[in-house]
Amino acid sequence: MRKITRWLWLSIGIQFLAEGTLWASGSGGGISGDLLWQVVAFVILAFVLAKMLKKPMAAFLTKRRQEIGSSLDQASQKEAEAMKLMQDCEKKIESLSQEIKDLHETIRLEGEEERKRSINRVQEEVERVRKQAQIIAEHEVKKARAALKKEMVDLSAELAEKLLKETIQPQDQERLVREYIGKMKEIR
């Protein structure tokens, strides 16, 4: 409001100076009546405007100051909320980062456990196959021994028959037949 009053006085002063230069230039013999009434009307108008606009202007400026203060307070609150939200987000990010590390560790441990289980299964399977192969090998060895025994018996019988044929005489044959018949009679 003081600025408005200063501007009014300044404009009045400029008016008087302008009128003074006109009066000094010789165009007239003093201040004219019209000019005086214009100056008086202007001063009254300025005074009335200043009085009338003082309260509304003060109210407007006060209201504007309050609005600006309110806006600044709201901006401060929003900034505080944003900072809090940012801190919450940072905490969540940190928490998620820790969860990811924990998941990596869990996956690594589970993978290692699965690897150990796989190795144990493979070792058990190898042991089972080895035992099975050993049993099969022992069975084959027994089978081969039995076949060898049979072949040896057959060869021995053949060899014995051949030897008997070569060494037994007809008298020996008769004697063997009688002994065999005698043993058969005894058995009956």
Side-chain angles (χ1 to χ4, degrees):
M1 193 66 189
R2 285 183 180 164
K3 286 185 181 181
I4 293 173
T5 308
R6 284 183 196 156
W7 281 106
L8 286 174
W9 285 114
L10 181 64
S11 67
I12 292 170
I14 291 173
Q15 278 282 19
F16 276 121
L17 283 176
E19 188 59 34
T21 52
L22 283 175
W23 183 58
S25 68
S27 63
I31 297 178
S32 73
D34 280 345
L35 181 63
L36 184 62
W37 282 111
Q38 284 180 356
V39 170
V40 169
F42 180 77
V43 169
I44 291 172
L45 179 66
F47 180 74
V48 169
L49 280 176
K51 284 293 185 182
M52 288 177 59
L53 293 178
K54 183 177 182 180
K55 285 185 181 180
M57 195 63 136
F60 170 77
L61 292 175
T62 303
K63 184 179 175 186
R64 185 68 180 141
R65 185 180 300 128
Q66 288 173 348
E67 287 175 356
I68 291 172
S70 175
S71 294
L72 287 174
D73 288 344
Q74 287 177 354
S76 271
Q77 287 175 350
K78 292 197 186 250
E79 181 184 16
E81 289 173 7
M83 291 298 283
K84 185 176 184 232
L85 185 62
M86 187 176 78
Q87 287 173 349
D88 289 346
C89 287
E90 286 176 353
K91 285 179 184 177
K92 284 181 183 178
I93 289 171
E94 189 175 310
S95 173
L96 288 174
S97 176
Q98 185 60 40
E99 281 184 42
I100 289 171
K101 286 179 185 177
D102 292 345
L103 281 173
H104 281 307
E105 184 63 21
T106 301
I107 290 170
R108 186 188 65 77
L109 291 174
E110 286 177 358
E112 196 165 308
E113 286 296 318
E114 182 62 31
R115 184 182 64 83
K116 286 178 183 178
R117 284 192 295 268
S118 295
I119 289 172
N120 287 339
R121 281 194 300 260
V122 167
Q123 287 175 343
E124 288 171 359
E125 185 66 22
V126 165
E127 185 62 27
R128 186 185 65 76
V129 168
R130 188 185 63 76
K131 285 180 181 178
Q132 193 174 27
Q134 187 177 2
I135 290 170
I136 290 171
E138 287 175 1
H139 180 68
E140 289 297 319
V141 167
K142 284 180 184 178
K143 207 169 143 183
R145 282 184 182 164
L148 280 174
K149 280 183 184 179
K150 184 180 181 235
E151 194 175 324
M152 275 185 13
V153 167
D154 289 345
L155 284 175
S156 295
E158 200 177 296
L159 186 59
E161 184 182 331
K162 193 177 183 184
L163 279 176
L164 281 176
K165 283 184 182 179
E166 289 176 5
T167 56
I168 293 184
Q169 300 293 327
Q171 304 106 355
D172 292 329
Q173 276 184 353
E174 268 184 47
R175 184 180 50 85
L176 284 174
V177 171
R178 277 188 238 138
E179 284 179 14
Y180 180 71
I181 292 175
K183 283 184 185 180
M184 291 294 270
K185 286 182 184 178
E186 287 177 14
I187 291 177
R188 280 190 183 172

